[in-house]
C-alpha cells in the first residue's frame, strides 16, 4: 500500500510560556520616584508602551522564523522520503523492460506501471505529476518512460519517448547519476506558469554507481508549491500567533486595567468637582424626574437633596411650560441639540428669582437620550444691572431729545435776528458810505452770514438726530445741480488761482427723482470744503452712473421707474488729510486739528451733516487723501427714473465746427475739449501766443481772458480779427470781481463767466457760428 506524502498533522516543538518582558518586570519592581507627576505615576508612558509592543512583536517574528526554518527542512525531508518511497515501488529490473518509445504504450508492462503511477499521484491531492525518466549518462539524453498527471493537464502530460533534454529533469538526473540517492528542486515554474516542488530518486530506491555508463531510470515526483507554502505558513503563523497571544494578552490586560483605573479616577475627580463646584448642576431624566443635584443647586434653591429627589424639576418654575414649548424642547433633546433659556424659579421660602439654564442632552452609544444636564445660573444681579442700564439709556435718550429740541428752538430763534442783521447790512451797503464804513458793513455782513450758516447746520443736525428729517423726492437735473453748486462756491475763489472744473458722464439722465434740495446741500458742503482747504490748483466735481439695476435702500425714494445709483466725487489739490485724522472728519463739531480750525474756521458740522444726508439718500461716503497732495471725497445716492424716461439724445449742435481752446489751465483745457468733442466739434489747443498765426485753422476760439493781459499776443489777435473779435469767446475766471468783469467786456464781444455751464457754452458757440437750434452747417471761414 502506498504511503501518502504529507501526514495529517505537522510536528510541533513544545515551548513553555515566555518570561514576562523585562521592561514590565522592572516597571513593577521599581518604586515610584519622588517628585514624578501624578499622570506619570498613574500609568505607563507612550514610549514604554510602544517599546513593549515592539518587543512582543519581535518575539513573535523570531519564533515564526525558527518555525519557518524547521518546517522547510521537515517538508524537504518528507519530499525526499516520499520520492524514495515511490521509487522503490518501481524496481529497476521491471522498468528496464520499457523501451522508452511510443511502442511501449501497447504493452502490458506499460499499462501496469502507468496504473501504479496513477495510484501514487491520487494518494494526495497536492500531487500534480509523477513520471519515470531514463537517463543515458554517456550522451546526457533524458527520455520519458511513463507519466501520470491530473486530468486538468490533459495532453500536456509527457508521453513515452518525449525528450527532456536541456530541462531541469536532465540536471537532476545527472545528479543521481553521480551517486546521489535523491535530488530535490524547490519551488519552480513550469511551462504553464504554475509553481511546483519536485523530488527525484533512482528507480528501485538505490543509488547509481559513480561513473556508470549504462542507462539509469529515475522517478520524478511533483508537489503543488502552494500547498507546500500553505503548510509551512500555517505552522509559522501558529507559532508566531501563539507567542503574540502568550505575551500580548497579559500586557493588553495590564493596559486595560490601567485604563479602567484611570477612568474610575477620572469619574471620581469629576464627581468631586461637580460636588464642590460653585455652579448649580442638575441631572434630570427624560420624564423630568431629578436624577442628581449638587450642593450648589441645593444652596441656591433652598431644598435639601433628599427633598429634591422625589420632585419634578419643572415644578420649580413659577410658570409651567405650555404643551407647545414642551414639544419643541423635547424635540431638541431627542435630537441631542443643546439649548439655553431664561426662567423664573421659586425657592423653598417662596421667593422667586430669575435663572439662565443651559440644557445639554446626554446621548448614549445607541443614540438614546436618557437624561439631560442642566447648568442653572442665578442671574438676579445681571437683571438688576440690565434694569439700571435700561433706565440710564432712557435718561440719556430723554436728555438727547431735550438737547435736540433745545438746539432746534435756539437755532430757529437765533436765525430771526440774524436775518434782520443780514438784510439791513445789505441795505446799508447800498447807501453812500465812507471807505471805512464800507469795510465795517462788509465785516458785519460776512459775520452774520456765517452765523446764519452755523444756525442752519445745527438745526439740520438736530432734525436728523431726532429722526424728523423727511425726504421729498421730485424731478431734478443732476448736471444742473452740479453747475449751480459750482456757481455758489465761485465767490469763495475770489482772489485765489483756483479752477472750478466738472465732468458729467454722457449716460447720466437729464431728469431723476430725488430730493434735489438735500442733494444740493450735500454737494455744496463737499465743494465748499474743498475750496476752503485749497489755496491754488483745481477743485473738480465728477458725476457718473454707478449702477442702474441696484435695489435701493429703504430710505431712498422709489416713486418712479427703476432704481439708479449715482456716484459723485469732489477732488481738490489742497492740504490733504493724514490717515490718522480721517476718523474725525464726520464727527459733529470736530476738526482735523486745532491748527486747521483756527486757520480755516468752521464749526465742523458740514461733513457730519453730509454723511447723514447721504445715508438718508440711500448711499454712503468714502474719502481718499494724502497730506500735501489733496483729497477726493466720494458719495453715492440712490434715485429713480421718471416713468417712460429715455436716455438723453446725442448733441450734434457743434458738428464739424473747428474750435480752438487757448487757456493756461490744463484742467480747463481738458474739460472744454472733452465737452466740445462730445458735441461733434473739431478741437485744437494752440498756445495763446500762436492763436493769431493759426486763425485760418479754426472757426471759433475759446480764450482765457488772461490772454488779453499779454499785450503782444492780444495785439496780434486784434490786428487780424479787429477790436472785440467776433470769433473769440472770452472765458472769465470764477473768482473775478465786478471791476474785472467790466474791464473784460471792453475787450471781448462775447464773454462767458466761469465755471462754464457746458450746455450754455455749446449754445453760445452755436449762436456765434450762425447755427439755429437744429444745428445748421458751420460758417465758412
Amino acid at each position: 500500500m502506498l504511503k501518502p506524502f504529507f501526514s495529517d498533522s505537522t510536528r510541533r516543538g513544545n515551548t513553555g510560556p515566555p518570561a514576562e518582558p523585562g521592561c514590565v518586570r522592572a516597571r513593577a519592581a521599581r518604586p515610584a520616584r519622588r517628585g514624578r507627576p501624578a499622570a506619570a505615576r498613574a500609568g505607563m508612558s507612550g514610549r514604554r508602551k510602544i517599546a513593549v509592543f515592539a518587543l512582543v512583536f519581535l518575539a513573535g517574528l523570531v519564533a515564526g522564523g525558527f518555525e519557518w526554518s524547521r518546517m522547510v527542512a521537515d517538508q524537504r525531508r518528507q519530499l525526499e522520503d516520499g520520492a524514495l518511497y515511490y521509487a522503490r515501488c518501481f524496481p529497476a529490473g521491471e522498468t528496464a523492460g520499457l523501451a522508452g518509445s511510443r511502442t511501449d504504450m501497447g504493452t502490458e508492462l506499460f499499462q501496469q506501471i502507468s496504473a501504479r503511477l496513477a495510484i501514487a499521484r491520487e494518494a494526495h491531492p497536492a500531487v500534480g505529476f509523477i513520471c519515470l525518466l531514463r537517463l543515458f549518462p554517456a550522451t546526457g539524453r533524458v527520455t520519458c518512460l511513463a507519466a501520470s498527471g491530473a486530468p486538468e493537464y490533459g495532453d500536456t502530460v509527457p508521453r513515452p519517448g518525449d525528450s527532456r533534454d536541456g530541462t531541469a529533469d536532465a540536471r537532476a538526473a545527472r545528479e543521481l547519476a553521480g551517486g546521489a540517492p535523491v535530488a530535490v528542486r524547490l519551488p519552480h515554474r513550469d511551462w504553464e506558469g504554475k509553481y511546483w516542488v519536485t523530488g527525484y530518486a533512482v528507480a528501485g530506491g538505490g543509488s547509481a554507481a559513480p561513473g556508470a555508463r549504462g542507462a539509469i531510470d529515475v522517478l520524478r515526483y511533483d508537489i503543488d508549491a502552494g500547498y507546500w507554502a500553505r503548510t509551512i505558513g500555517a505552522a509559522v503563523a501558529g507559532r508566531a500567533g501563539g507567542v503574540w497571544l502568550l505575551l500580548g494578552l497579559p500586557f493588553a490586560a495590564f493596559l486595560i486595567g490601567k485604563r479602567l483605573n484611570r477612568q474610575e479616577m477620572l469619574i471620581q475627580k469629576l464627581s468631586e468637582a461637580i460636588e464642590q463646584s460653585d455652579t448649580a448642576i442638575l441631572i434630570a431624566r427624560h420624564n423630568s424626574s431629578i436624577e442628581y443635584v449638587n450642593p450648589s443647586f441645593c444652596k441656591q434653591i433652598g431644598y435639601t437633596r433628599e427633598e429634591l429627589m422625589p420632585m419634578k424639576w419643572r415644578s420649580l418654575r413659577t410658570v409651567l411650560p405650555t404643551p407647545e414649548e414642551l414639544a419643541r424642547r423635547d424635540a431638541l433633546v431627542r435630537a441631542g441639540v443643546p439649548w439655553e433659556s431664561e426662567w423664573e424659579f421659586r425657592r423653598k421660602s417662596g421667593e422667586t428669582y430669575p435663572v439662565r439654564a443651559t440644557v445639554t442632552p446626554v446621548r448614549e452609544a445607541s443614540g438614546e437620550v436618557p437624561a439631560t444636564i442642566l447648568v442653572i445660573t442665578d442671574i438676579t444681579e445681571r437683571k438688576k444691572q440690565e434694569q439700571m442700564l435700561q433706565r440710564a439709556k432712557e435718561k440719556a435718550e430723554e436728555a438727547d431729545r431735550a438737547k435736540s429740541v433745545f438746539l432746534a428752538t435756539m437755532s430757529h430763534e437765533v436765525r430771526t435776528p440774524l436775518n434782520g442783521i443780514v438784510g439791513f447790512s445789505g441795505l446799508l451797503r447800498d447807501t453812500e458810505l465812507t471807505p471805512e464804513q464800507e469795510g465795517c458793513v462788509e465785516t458785519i455782513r460776512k459775520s452774520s452770514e456765517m452765523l446764519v450758516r452755523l444756525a442752519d447746520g445745527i438745526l439740520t443736525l438736530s432734525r436728523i438726530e431726532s429722526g424728523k428729517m423727511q425726504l421729498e423726492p421730485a424731478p431734478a437735473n443732476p448736471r444742473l445741480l452740479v453747475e449751480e453748486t459750482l456757481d455758489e462756491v465761485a465767490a469763495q475763489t475770489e482772489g485765489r488761482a483756483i479752477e472750478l472744473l466738472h465732468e458729467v458722464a454722457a449716460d447720466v439722465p437729464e431728469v431723476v427723482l430725488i430730493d434735489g434740495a438735500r442733494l444740493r446741500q450735500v454737494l455744496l458742503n463737499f465743494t465748499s470744503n474743498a475750496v476752503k482747504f485749497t489755496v491754488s490748483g483745481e477743485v473738480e466735481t465728477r458725476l457718473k452712473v454707478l449702477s442702474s439695476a441696484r435695489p435701493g435702500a429703504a430710505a431712498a425714494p422709489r416713486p418712479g421707474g427703476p432704481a439708479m445709483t449715482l456716484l459723485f466725487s469732489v477732488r481738490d489739490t489742497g492740504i490733504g488729510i493724514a490717515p490718522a485724522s480721517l476718523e474725525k472728519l464726520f464727527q459733529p463739531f470736530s476738526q482735523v486739528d486745532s491748527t486747521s480750525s483756527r486757520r480755516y474756521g468752521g464749526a465742523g458740522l458740514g461733513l457730519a451733516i453730509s454723511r447723514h444726508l447721504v445715508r438718508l439718500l440711500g448711499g454712503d461716503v468714502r474719502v481718499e487723501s494724502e497730506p500735501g497732495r489733496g483729497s477726493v471725497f466720494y458719495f453715492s445716492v440712490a434715485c429713480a427714473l421718471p416713468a417712460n424716461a429715455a436716455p438723453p439724445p446725442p448733441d450734434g449742435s457743434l458738428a464739424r465746427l473747428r474750435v480752438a481752446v487757448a487757456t493756461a489751465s490744463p484742467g480747463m483745457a481738458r474739460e472744454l475739449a472733452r465737452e466740445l468733442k462730445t458735441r461733434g466739434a473739431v478741437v485744437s489747443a494752440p498756445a495763446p501766443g500762436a492763436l493769431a498765426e493759426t486763425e485760418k485753422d479754426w472757426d471759433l476760439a475759446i480764450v482765457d481772458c488772461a490772454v488779453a493781459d499779454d499785450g503782444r499776443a492780444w495785439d496780434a489777435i486784434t490786428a487780424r480779427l479787429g477790436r472785440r473779435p467776433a470769433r473769440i469767446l472770452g472765458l472769465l475766471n470764477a473768482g473775478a470781481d465786478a471791476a474785472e468783469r467790466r474791464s473784460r467786456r471792453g475787450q471781448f464781444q462775447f464773454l462767458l463767466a466761469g465755471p462754464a455751464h457746458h450746455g450754455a457754452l455749446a449754445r453760445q458757440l452755436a449762436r456765434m457760428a450762425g447755427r439755429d437750434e437744429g444745428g445748421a452747417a458751420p460758417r465758412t471761414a
Side-chain angles (χ1 to χ4, degrees):
M1 185 175 181
L2 299 177
K3 183 179 72 172
F5 177 70
F6 290 101
S7 62
D8 293 337
S9 61
T10 57
R11 293 187 294 271
R12 296 286 190 273
N14 293 328
T15 57
E20 185 181 8
C23 63
V24 178
R25 186 167 57 250
R27 173 81 175 123
R30 184 173 64 247
R33 296 179 183 175
R34 290 185 178 180
R36 296 180 64 198
R41 295 195 302 268
M44 185 178 291
S45 67
R47 290 185 177 181
R48 292 188 178 183
K49 291 178 184 177
I50 294 174
V52 172
F53 276 120
L55 288 175
V56 172
F57 182 74
L58 182 60
L61 291 181
V62 171
F66 282 118
E67 183 68 12
W68 176 83
S69 63
R70 191 189 67 79
M71 284 297 297
V72 168
D74 183 70
Q75 295 299 317
R76 181 186 181 102
R77 185 168 56 253
Q78 291 191 34
L79 178 64
E80 294 174 351
D81 293 345
L84 288 172
Y85 176 81
Y86 288 120
R88 296 189 188 100
C89 296
F90 300 93
E94 183 181 16
T95 59
L98 296 175
S101 63
R102 294 286 194 277
T103 58
D104 289 340
M105 298 177 66
T107 64
E108 183 178 355
L109 178 60
F110 178 82
Q111 297 297 331
Q112 292 177 357
I113 291 175
S114 297
R116 274 184 284 165
L117 290 175
I119 293 173
R121 181 189 58 77
E122 294 173 357
H124 197 282
V127 178
F129 290 97
I130 186 169
C131 62
L132 288 171
L133 305 175
R134 178 165 289 171
L135 170 65
F136 298 94
T139 60
R141 292 178 55 246
V142 178
T143 303
C144 177
L145 297 179
S148 177
E152 60 267 20
Y153 296 107
D155 296 337
T156 61
V157 178
R159 293 187 296 174
D162 288 350
S163 174
R164 305 297 292 169
D165 297 343
T167 65
D169 293 342
R171 292 191 297 273
R174 283 194 292 271
E175 289 182 24
L176 296 176
V182 66
V184 174
R185 189 181 180 201
L186 291 182
H188 62 92
R189 189 168 59 179
D190 63 8
W191 60 90
E192 290 187 350
K194 185 174 178 61
Y195 286 90
W196 304 92
V197 290
T198 306
Y200 300 86
V202 177
S207 300
R213 307 292 291 176
I216 301 174
D217 293 340
V218 177
L219 176 76
R220 170 183 169 178
Y221 197 64
D222 288 333
I223 303 299
D224 183 7
Y227 189 88
W228 167 290
R230 287 192 295 273
T231 302
I232 296 175
V236 171
R239 179 55 57 88
V243 172
W244 286 335
L245 287 176
L246 187 63
L247 299 180
L249 285 178
F251 183 62
F254 169 76
L255 294 181
I256 293 174
K258 286 291 185 180
R259 182 177 180 85
L260 292 176
N261 186 34
R262 285 197 300 269
Q263 289 180 349
E264 291 178 0
M265 292 176 62
L266 179 61
I267 293 173
Q268 182 179 358
K269 290 179 180 179
L270 289 176
S271 176
E272 292 175 357
I274 293 175
E275 284 287 316
Q276 299 174 18
S277 175
D278 291 336
T279 304
I281 299 175
L282 181 150
I283 300 178
R285 298 187 187 93
H286 190 63
N287 60 357
S288 299
S289 61
I290 297 176
E291 179 80 14
Y292 167 83
V293 290
N294 68 344
S296 294
F297 182 73
C298 296
K299 181 180 179 181
Q300 180 189 113
I301 198 71
Y303 289 97
T304 64
R305 182 176 296 176
E306 290 73 16
E307 292 173 334
L308 286 171
M309 298 306 290
M311 301 172 61
K312 301 284 187 181
W313 74 266
R314 287 174 179 163
S315 63
L316 302 175
R317 294 175 53 181
T318 57
V319 178
L320 294 178
T322 62
E324 294 78 10
E325 181 184 356
L326 284 175
R328 183 173 64 255
R329 290 177 178 172
D330 285 346
L332 292 176
V333 170
R334 284 193 297 271
V337 179
W339 49 277
E340 294 182 353
S341 184
E342 292 186 4
W343 302 316
E344 190 175 71
F345 272 21
R346 179 178 287 106
R347 292 190 172 96
K348 183 179 180 180
S349 62
E351 177 190 1
T352 61
Y353 68 102
V355 298
R356 181 171 186 83
T358 301
V359 183
T360 304
V362 179
R363 185 184 295 275
E364 293 182 341
S366 62
E368 296 293 328
V369 182
T372 54
I373 300 175
L374 288 82
V375 178
I376 302 171
T377 306
D378 186 349
I379 57 174
T380 303
E381 292 300 323
R382 197 195 75 182
K383 287 293 184 180
K384 291 180 179 179
Q385 293 178 1
E386 288 179 356
Q387 293 175 359
M388 293 174 59
L389 290 175
Q390 181 64 26
R391 287 194 294 269
K393 179 176 177 291
E394 292 174 355
K395 290 181 179 180
E397 290 176 349
E398 183 179 354
D400 189 64
R401 286 193 296 269
K403 179 204 71 173
S404 299
V405 172
F406 172 76
L407 289 176
T409 303
M410 290 304 299
S411 299
H412 180 75
E413 295 297 329
V414 168
R415 286 177 60 189
T416 302
L418 285 177
N419 287 334
I421 295 173
V422 173
F424 281 101
S425 63
L427 295 176
L428 183 60
R429 188 179 55 177
D430 293 336
T431 62
E432 292 187 6
L433 301 172
T434 64
E436 183 179 357
Q437 292 173 334
E438 288 181 356
C440 294
V441 170
E442 185 64 20
T443 301
I444 294 173
R445 184 185 65 81
K446 289 183 178 180
S447 300
S448 56
E449 288 178 351
M450 184 181 300
L451 287 174
V452 170
R453 288 195 296 271
L454 177 59
D456 288 339
I458 294 175
L459 180 60
T460 302
L461 183 62
S462 63
R463 292 179 61 188
I464 291 174
E465 291 181 345
S466 63
K468 296 181 180 180
M469 178 69 69
Q470 299 294 329
L471 298 180
E472 298 178 0
N477 187 335
R479 180 186 293 271
L480 189 59
L481 284 175
V482 172
E483 293 175 343
E484 289 179 348
T485 302
L486 293 180
D487 289 341
E488 290 188 48
V489 300
Q492 300 179 30
T493 65
E494 184 175 344
R496 290 189 285 174
I498 298 178
E499 290 288 348
L500 296 178
L501 309 176
H502 67 288
E503 177 184 353
V504 180
D507 58 345
V508 174
E510 291 184 348
V511 179
V512 296
L513 294 176
I514 197 170
D515 192 330
R518 299 305 173 190
L519 177 58
R520 183 198 297 271
Q521 183 178 357
V522 173
L523 193 57
L524 182 61
N525 282 341
F526 281 115
T527 309
S528 299
N529 204 59
V531 172
K532 180 171 66 173
F533 292 98
T534 302
V535 178
S536 62
E538 298 177 352
V539 173
E540 183 179 24
T541 302
R542 292 184 177 182
L543 171 60
K544 67 177 182 179
V545 176
L546 183 62
S547 171
S548 58
R550 167 188 173 276
R558 294 292 177 270
M564 174 175 286
T565 302
L566 301 178
L567 178 65
F568 293 82
S569 65
V570 178
R571 177 183 63 84
D572 64 68
T573 57
I575 61 175
I577 307 168
S581 301
L582 292 178
E583 297 181 357
K584 302 179 181 179
L585 283 178
F586 301 101
Q587 297 178 4
F589 304 101
S590 175
Q591 292 281 357
V592 171
D593 56 50
S594 58
T595 302
S596 296
S597 178
R598 289 193 298 266
R599 178 178 177 184
Y600 295 99
L605 289 176
L607 293 181
I609 292 173
S610 298
R611 185 172 66 171
H612 282 296
L613 292 177
V614 166
R615 289 178 176 176
L616 282 174
L617 292 169
D620 206 351
V621 181
R622 180 170 60 90
V623 60
E624 296 175 357
S625 184
E626 184 177 349
R629 301 182 66 102
S631 307
V632 183
F633 286 83
Y634 300 90
F635 68 93
S636 59
V637 295
C639 58
L641 294 175
N644 302 323
D651 186 358
S653 59
L654 305 180
R656 300 184 303 280
L657 184 66
R658 298 177 298 169
V659 180
V661 178
T663 176
S665 171
M668 183 60 68
R670 289 194 304 270
E671 176 183 331
L672 296 179
R674 180 183 64 245
E675 294 299 328
L676 295 176
K677 287 178 181 179
T678 59
R679 289 167 171 80
V682 180
V683 183
S684 60
L691 190 63
E693 288 77 1
T694 61
E695 60 93 13
K696 291 185 178 180
D697 298 331
W698 45 267
D699 301 320
L700 297 175
I702 302 175
V703 178
D704 191 340
C705 287
V707 174
D709 298 334
D710 186 351
R712 181 178 301 178
W714 187 247
D715 290 342
I717 293 173
T718 55
R720 285 179 176 270
L721 303 177
R723 184 176 176 275
R724 300 183 70 204
R727 295 171 56 192
I728 295 179
L729 174 64
L731 189 61
L732 190 61
N733 187 277
D737 55 16
E740 184 179 357
R741 292 172 184 269
R742 288 192 296 269
S743 173
R744 297 304 184 190
R745 291 192 184 99
Q747 295 173 318
F748 293 92
Q749 184 175 350
F750 301 102
L751 193 63
L752 187 65
H757 290 209
H758 298 155
L761 174 63
R763 288 191 294 272
Q764 181 63 36
L765 291 176
R767 284 194 294 268
M768 291 172 60
R771 297 189 176 190
D772 56 16
E773 294 297 329
R779 176 180 60 82
T780 59

